[in-house]
Amino acid sequence: MTALPDRVDKKLGLVIDLDTCVGCHACVVACKGWNDQGYGAPLSDQDPCGAAPSGTFLNRVHSYEITPPDAPAQIVHFPKSCLHCDNAPCVTVCPTGASYKRREDGIVLVNESACIGCGLCAWACPYGAREMDADAGVMKKCTLCVDRIYNETLPEEDRQPACVRTCPAGARHFGDLSDPASDVSQLVAARGGLDLMPEMGTKPVNAYLPPRPKTDAAPEFDVLAPFLEPVAEDAGGFLGWLDRTLSKMPG
Amino acid sequence: MHPAPSLILFTTLSGLGFGLLAFLCLGLPDARGLTAVLWFGAGFALAGGGLLASTTHLGNPQRAWRAFTQWQTSWLSREAWLSVIALAAAGGVALGRVFFDLPMTGLGTVAAGLALATVASTAMIYAQLKTVPRWNHWTTPALFLSMALAGGALLAGQMTVAPVLLLLAGAVQLLAWRTGDGRFAARGHGLTSATRLEGGKVRSFAPPHTGSNYLLREMVHQVGRRHARKLRSLALIFGFLAPALLCLTAHPLALALAVLSHAGGAMAGRWLFFAEAEHVVGLYYGYHEAGAR
């Protein structure tokens, strides 16, 4: 089972638009919410209301700052979940066959009833996409909401991953990246979609659309500045006398 | 990487145990009868104890038998098979030596090879990980094998070959540190390759959550790095140089001291093996970037 399939019929995955993401973390909440109630062990939290809260998440949003040499710094919000790699190193290291990549759609999954919780797959993943659940002792990862996307009891518009369905900015897109005619493939082609850590040779399916260059960035400008100009310092007449007199007073 | 005590104990003890079993199976020393019980007993206790220690870091150890299923692709599964086969073969050698006063040369040679193959497969679990550049190199199996041979020779009382093997293992350890230090940067891993963000200097502005998480605890170990240089010196002195010198005295008490010194130095070295290993996922959290924390 832990051999990778020699080919996949589809490459289902996500395209994440870093230009559009506003960093609201709604995808994080939707992911945790959906994956707490159906497929596999729920994503547990430890000390959730205490001093050192910690928990299992399948999707986390980082924030990075880019400082160009000649323009103001820019913040980029960066959601990260399993990239469902073509050449998934997490699958082949698994000693039990719990980790596998599906031939029919390329989704990488964990059979939790066969997982011994050794953690080697998490070590093999460069992206930090796998997290061991501290309660269940099994490895958790993004399932691409496999229990939503084929679920005919859901209305059709809900048959997509929870993170995509909930994203208020439309920064997340779901589709078949092996089909050059699909919306996601065309988006990748039009916007120059990128692989994360290509030097690892993992060939991720998920792609990231880089932020568009900020060509219209105005120079730094303070709206209050005109109102804070120093008042005249060489005042004469009555005001000048008052200023001099008040300055001489002690205190 | 998090230096889990279970993994440090497992890799050092099983390395010593399989090293000792390799020498015993080759007939060095060619113990028979009750003496063989003691020798082989020590080897099995170390190797088996190490393997048991390794199961304590599993989330669901009751399913550990499943680790025997994926030997075609997984080094961890291969290690499981090799360790069981090597222990069984060494057990056969021990039976012949203890009860039948037989030399068991043929099976002994095979068992010695299997014991060393087990150590090599343990090393390959680490060496295969591209995500940890410090480990992803031939020096990792070289280090594990030379340590097992040196420790095995020392435990087996091979006073002529042990000092040579100890110094050789020390040299391999030094080489592993020297070549490992710059490998992360040399392979081009950085926040730019991790995020593919361009157009200026990129830095981590805010982590996903204010609290810690599994990834940080498991793979972004930071504590104690500042003592790494001192620990390296101590590991070299106590792990290799001191036992090599003590071997030359050939005094029984010195030999016992040499074994203790080597085991302590080896554990310090193995702690560093984990604690100093940088996983690329740390980049996403602002660690390991050249010039960063």
Side-chain angles (χ1 to χ4, degrees):
Chain A
M1 281 293 266
T2 52
L4 289 165
D6 51 359
R7 59 174 177 82
V8 287
D9 300 335
K10 277 185 184 179
K11 293 183 185 181
L12 295 187
L14 303 176
V15 171
I16 294 169
D17 190 343
L18 298 178
D19 194 65
T20 311
C21 176
V22 295
C24 69
H25 289 237
C27 54
V28 179
V29 177
C31 169
K32 182 114 175 171
W34 178 261
N35 287 292
D36 263 348
Q37 54 186 332
Y39 185 98
L43 307 171
S44 70
D45 288 316
Q46 283 70 45
D47 196 18
C49 306
S54 175
T56 313
F57 288 81
L58 311 184
N59 177 33
R60 294 182 185 262
V61 181
H62 294 254
S63 296
Y64 298 106
E65 180 193 67
I66 311 177
T67 313
D70 49 359
Q74 179 189 352
I75 297 293
V76 176
H77 301 290
F78 198 99
K80 189 158 57 59
S81 54
C82 174
L83 309 175
H84 298 280
C85 303
D86 275 348
N87 191 14
C90 56
V91 169
T92 49
V93 298
C94 176
T96 69
S99 243
Y100 62 106
K101 185 171 174 73
R102 299 184 356 151
R103 177 187 291 269
E104 60 266 41
D105 50 18
I107 300 179
V108 176
L109 289 176
V110 174
N111 171 8
E112 291 177 11
S113 60
C115 174
I116 57 173
C118 70
L120 190 57
C121 56
W123 287 13
C125 172
Y127 309 109
R130 288 173 169 248
E131 300 190 15
M132 180 102 75
D133 189 81
D135 250 18
V138 294
M139 198 53 74
K140 299 296 297 186
K141 69 174 294 301
C142 162
T143 66
L144 217 57
C145 282
V146 70
D147 51 346
R148 287 176 67 98
I149 57 177
Y150 299 116
N151 191 338
E152 291 181 359
T153 62
L154 294 177
E156 198 169 345
E157 64 268 28
D158 284 337
R159 288 178 213 161
Q160 46 183 330
C163 57
V164 176
R165 183 74 181 98
T166 205
C167 179
R172 304 178 71 98
H173 307 270
F174 166 68
D176 179 8
L177 285 134
S178 71
D179 172 11
S182 70
D183 289 350
V184 281
S185 294
Q186 297 204 341
L187 203 49
V188 168
R191 295 276 306 282
L194 295 167
D195 292 347
L196 304 186
M197 282 197 207
E199 76 273 19
M200 281 288 164
T202 49
K203 297 190 190 151
V205 169
N206 286 12
Y208 284 75
L209 308 180
R212 292 183 177 93
K214 296 282 181 277
T215 50
D216 55 349
E220 253 184 304
F221 179 72
D222 188 338
V223 287
L224 288 176
F227 301 103
L228 296 171
E229 291 286 323
V231 288
E233 280 164 10
D234 53 345
F238 173 71
L239 284 177
W241 171 80
L242 191 61
D243 180 44
R244 284 192 302 278
T245 312
L246 286 171
S247 300
K248 277 181 204 159
M249 281 177 69
Chain B
M1 304 295 285
H2 170 61
S6 59
L7 288 183
I8 295 172
L9 271 178
F10 155 55
T11 56
T12 41
L13 291 186
S14 71
L16 280 173
F18 281 112
L20 173 59
L21 286 175
F23 277 93
L24 293 178
C25 288
L26 289 173
L28 303 165
D30 188 6
R32 304 289 170 95
L34 264 183
T35 334
V37 173
L38 292 177
W39 278 115
F40 278 96
F44 286 125
L46 284 170
L51 290 173
L52 279 182
S54 76
T55 61
T56 63
H57 93 285
L58 298 180
N60 281 285
Q62 76 282 6
R63 301 200 273 255
W65 63 269
R66 288 184 182 272
F68 288 97
T69 59
Q70 303 300 315
W71 52 273
Q72 287 174 315
T73 45
S74 167
W75 277 106
L76 184 46
S77 192
R78 286 171 200 160
E79 182 207 33
W81 272 111
L82 280 167
S83 61
V84 167
I85 298 171
L87 286 176
V93 177
L95 283 180
R97 298 256 180 89
V98 172
F99 294 108
F100 305 106
D101 197 25
L102 290 169
M104 306 296 288
T105 322
L107 185 60
T109 313
V110 173
L114 284 167
L116 292 180
T118 308
V119 175
S121 67
T122 304
M124 283 310 294
I125 295 172
Y126 303 103
Q128 69 178 334
L129 296 172
K130 276 190 193 172
T131 47
V132 186
R134 193 183 280 279
W135 292 347
N136 187 224
H137 196 245
W138 63 265
T139 46
T140 300
L143 177 66
F144 276 55
L145 277 172
S146 63
M147 292 282 289
L149 283 172
L154 189 61
L155 281 174
Q158 300 301 305
M159 285 304 115
T160 44
V161 70
V164 179
L165 288 173
L166 280 165
L167 292 181
L168 180 73
V172 174
Q173 173 69 84
L174 208 56
L175 184 72
W177 282 332
R178 279 290 170 84
T179 59
D181 281 344
R183 197 173 300 127
F184 194 99
R187 291 205 176 163
H189 307 313
L191 196 48
T192 314
S193 81
T195 63
R196 304 298 302 280
L197 293 173
E198 285 177 357
K201 190 175 162 29
V202 181
R203 81 176 174 104
S204 172
F205 180 75
H209 294 85
T210 50
S212 189
N213 64 37
Y214 168 76
L215 301 169
L216 290 168
R217 287 189 296 269
E218 182 76 6
M219 286 172 259
V220 196
H221 182 73
Q222 291 287 314
V223 186
R225 287 262 177 85
R226 62 205 151 112
H227 295 309
R229 194 164 282 276
K230 279 182 214 164
L231 263 175
R232 280 186 180 187
S233 312
L234 290 174
L236 274 184
I237 294 167
F238 286 100
F240 309 105
L241 295 178
L245 285 174
L246 285 165
C247 276
L248 298 178
T249 66
H251 191 278
L253 193 66
L255 176 61
L257 262 180
V259 168
L260 285 178
S261 171
H262 174 72
M267 292 221 184
R270 204 47 58 82
W271 187 87
L272 285 169
F273 178 78
F274 289 101
E276 287 194 294
E278 307 94 340
H279 193 290
V280 291
V281 76
L283 289 167
Y284 287 106
Y285 288 84
Y287 295 93
H288 312 324
E289 182 82 334
R293 284 174 286 182

